[in-house]
Amino acid sequence: MKGIVFTEFLDLVETKFGLEMVDTIVSNADLPSKGIYTSVGTYSFSEMLSLLVNLSQETGIAIDELLLVYGEHFFTVVENSYSSFLREFTDPIEMLASIENHIHVEVRKIYPDAELPTFNVLEKTENTLIMIYKSSRSMHCFGLGLMNKTFEYFNSEATILVEKIKEDGTEVKFSIQRNG
Ligand code: HEM
């Protein structure tokens, strides 16, 4: 997992809960990196999981809820650092349908070792999109946060139904309906 995912996560934890919380979760998690991340480095996903588990224990907030908020925050990272991706699109459904065959393909050119999910489009109309998320990392709630912000970015609204195909969240169906 890329360092930017860790540095942005710890920045968000600091903003929401304070520097002391960052110190607590980093020292409670047994991290090979010792919690020192550079945005261009690559670190094990198990470090992220360990930080999330510890933050969840300290705050009482479920991991999926933490991932949702982090996904919403990560959209601002995309806006600030990868705005060229967003400028290519005028429609949120077109953008979300392009993750697999365009956006994440470009991401992989920048970071050849990125650990990305797959999003397979099952059905697409002007106002609906059904996609299957698959990833061993079970970060579908992070994806939901990004989707929410994608609609907001285009001044649009949607209802997004999330159904687990596999109980552990490694395979999830997203049914997206644009409302306005
Ligand atoms: C992961 C970039 C859009 C869903 C990632 C990672 C990067 C990235 C750098 C981390 C890879 C790693 O740590 O190895 C981008 C950029 C986007 C974009 C630049 C520009 C628009 C989206 C959108 C979604 C999405 C719109 C919506 C669902 C995900 C998910 C992961 C991820 C769920 C977590 C990894 C996993 O589940 O296995 N993306 N992404 N991304 N991205 Fe994107």
Side-chain angles (χ1 to χ4, degrees):
M1 180 155 266
K2 297 311 297 176
I4 190 171
V5 182
F6 289 88
T7 54
E8 287 298 332
F9 177 73
L10 292 177
D11 278 357
L12 182 64
V13 173
E14 183 178 342
T15 305
K16 298 260 181 193
F17 304 105
L19 195 53
E20 215 171 301
M21 181 64 88
V22 175
D23 287 343
T24 304
I25 64 167
V26 166
S27 49
N28 288 351
D30 187 17
L31 305 170
S33 71
K34 299 189 164 51
I36 301 160
Y37 302 105
T38 65
S39 62
V40 291
T42 303
Y43 308 89
S44 162
F45 171 68
S46 62
E47 292 207 12
M48 178 51 70
L49 196 57
S50 188
L51 290 167
L52 282 164
V53 167
N54 279 287
L55 183 61
S56 175
Q57 277 166 359
E58 292 294 325
T59 60
I61 302 169
I63 289 180
D64 277 355
E65 178 64 24
L66 293 171
L67 279 171
L68 174 76
V69 174
Y70 183 36
E72 292 184 346
H73 169 76
F74 202 77
F75 194 86
T76 59
V77 177
V78 170
E79 271 185 281
N80 294 331
S81 303
Y82 307 97
S83 54
S84 60
F85 288 114
L86 301 179
R87 280 197 297 270
E88 290 176 40
F89 298 95
T90 53
D91 180 277
I93 289 188
E94 291 299 331
M95 177 172 147
L96 295 177
S98 307
I99 301 170
E100 182 66 19
N101 293 326
H102 182 62
I103 295 176
H104 277 172
V105 174
E106 294 302 315
V107 170
R108 193 172 293 290
K109 289 183 191 164
I110 308 170
Y111 305 120
D113 56 355
E115 295 179 292
L116 298 164
T118 63
F119 279 99
N120 286 322
V121 175
L122 284 192
E123 216 181 285
K124 178 174 173 285
T125 68
E126 201 193 326
N127 292 314
T128 63
L129 179 65
I130 301 179
M131 292 198 292
I132 305 291
Y133 162 93
K134 278 189 204 169
S135 167
S136 60
R137 289 166 292 284
S138 296
M139 289 178 69
H140 54 279
C141 285
F142 180 78
L144 180 61
L146 283 164
M147 289 181 191
N148 288 340
K149 287 290 171 185
T150 300
F151 279 92
E152 212 178 286
Y153 178 80
F154 292 103
N155 295 314
S156 181
E157 274 176 36
T159 303
I160 305 176
L161 176 67
V162 183
E163 291 167 285
K164 280 187 187 173
I165 298 171
K166 290 203 175 139
E167 200 42 52
D168 63 2
T170 55
E171 209 173 317
V172 174
K173 182 178 180 184
F174 285 95
S175 304
I176 303 165
Q177 165 79 54
R178 188 204 317 258
N179 302 321

